[in-house]
Amino acid sequence: MMVENNGVRLNVQVDGAQGPDAPTVVFANSLGTNLHLWDPIMDLLPAGPRYIRWDKRGHGASDVPPAPYSMGALIADAEAVCDALAVRDCVFVGLSVGGMIAQGLAVKRMDIVRAMVLSNTGAKLGTPKLWNDRIAAVRSQGMAALADGIMERWFGPAFRKSPAVAPWKDMLLNTDPEGYAGVCGAIAGTDFITPTSGLRLPTMGIAGSDDGSTPPDLVRETVDLIPGSDFHIIRRAGHLPCVEQPQEYVDLLAGFLTRTGTI
Ligand SMILES: O=C(O)CCC(=O)CC(=O)O
């Protein structure tokens, strides 16, 4: 289905239970990926909840407005998706920039987010210079010039050398450079350290031992801003542990859904 936010159409997929009465888990994906990032875990997730995911603006089958995007716009997109599907009290799982969206949405809409999973993310990612250099590179050279470096940060060495890496590299290469640059702009302008420090909700952090984008210490420092949070490292995984170690990822999610009374 398509959901519109301020003239931008967002591609949304709902799996599992249908309808707002079921406990709901919402997934927000990372830069250069689309909602199929979550495909490897979908069949492993516990039955019962409604599972919602969408393509961020500029990614997948969603519209590609001109770059740059603001983090406020990405959060408003998440809000529009959740409101269109009458989501209340969900568990919001955000990976990387998706985890920034989780933090921003939790600050803005506690009625939507009851608990969150901050996966491979931070309250602040990199520096404005890093993102502005990335925008300049994608604009002048396209996605292909960035792809090998990104694969090194996304995946551990064994996965990177295996044939399994090909569809994920294709997903990146098929990302619209305008959409990619747009989301880089949103990350460049975001520092959630102060707002996230004020959050009080059940939170679990997940990191990948080989993550070259958001290393374990960054994820740990971020979830430590929220009292009572817990933190887990998945071994033999990089920036996208839901792809590299799907069963371990689901085991952590299922444990969190149980602890938060979602299932
Ligand atoms: O993955 C994200 O959403 C942002 C972090 C990043 O830069 C990933 C990468 O290394 O390309």
Side-chain angles (χ1 to χ4, degrees), residues 76-95:
D77 289 347
E79 227 179 326
V81 168
C82 290
D83 283 338
L85 290 160
V87 174
R88 293 291 176 272
D89 295 325
C90 79
V91 174
F92 198 101
V93 181
L95 195 151

Side-chain angles (χ1 to χ4, degrees), residues 80-143:
V81 168
C82 290
D83 283 338
L85 290 160
V87 174
R88 293 291 176 272
D89 295 325
C90 79
V91 174
F92 198 101
V93 181
L95 195 151
S96 201
V97 66
M100 295 182 121
I101 294 168
Q103 294 166 63
L105 188 64
V107 168
K108 193 174 176 191
R109 293 288 302 271
M110 286 298 283
D111 60 322
I112 293 179
V113 184
R114 183 173 57 84
M116 64 181 178
V117 177
L118 299 181
S119 175
N120 305 80
T121 191
K124 182 178 185 304
L125 300 185
T127 60
K129 181 178 180 329
L130 180 151
W131 295 108
N132 290 329
D133 288 351
R134 186 102 58 112
I135 292 167
V138 76
R139 285 208 182 289
S140 60
Q141 303 166 61
M143 296 305 305

Side-chain angles (χ1 to χ4, degrees), residues 189-256:
T190 300
D191 179 347
F192 276 156
I193 292 174
T194 302
T196 296
S197 303
L199 284 171
R200 298 292 177 269
L201 76 169
T203 301
M204 175 173 72
I206 300 178
S209 59
D210 305 333
D211 187 343
S213 303
T214 51
D217 280 351
L218 175 67
V219 186
R220 190 198 316 266
E221 282 162 17
T222 302
V223 298
D224 277 353
L225 297 172
I226 304 168
S229 58
D230 61 0
F231 170 74
H232 306 267
I233 298 181
I234 298 183
R235 304 277 159 206
R236 295 174 304 284
H239 190 51
L240 307 180
C242 54
V243 170
E244 227 170 329
Q245 302 295 345
Q247 187 61 60
E248 276 191 57
Y249 201 83
V250 166
D251 290 346
L252 289 174
L253 288 186
F256 188 68

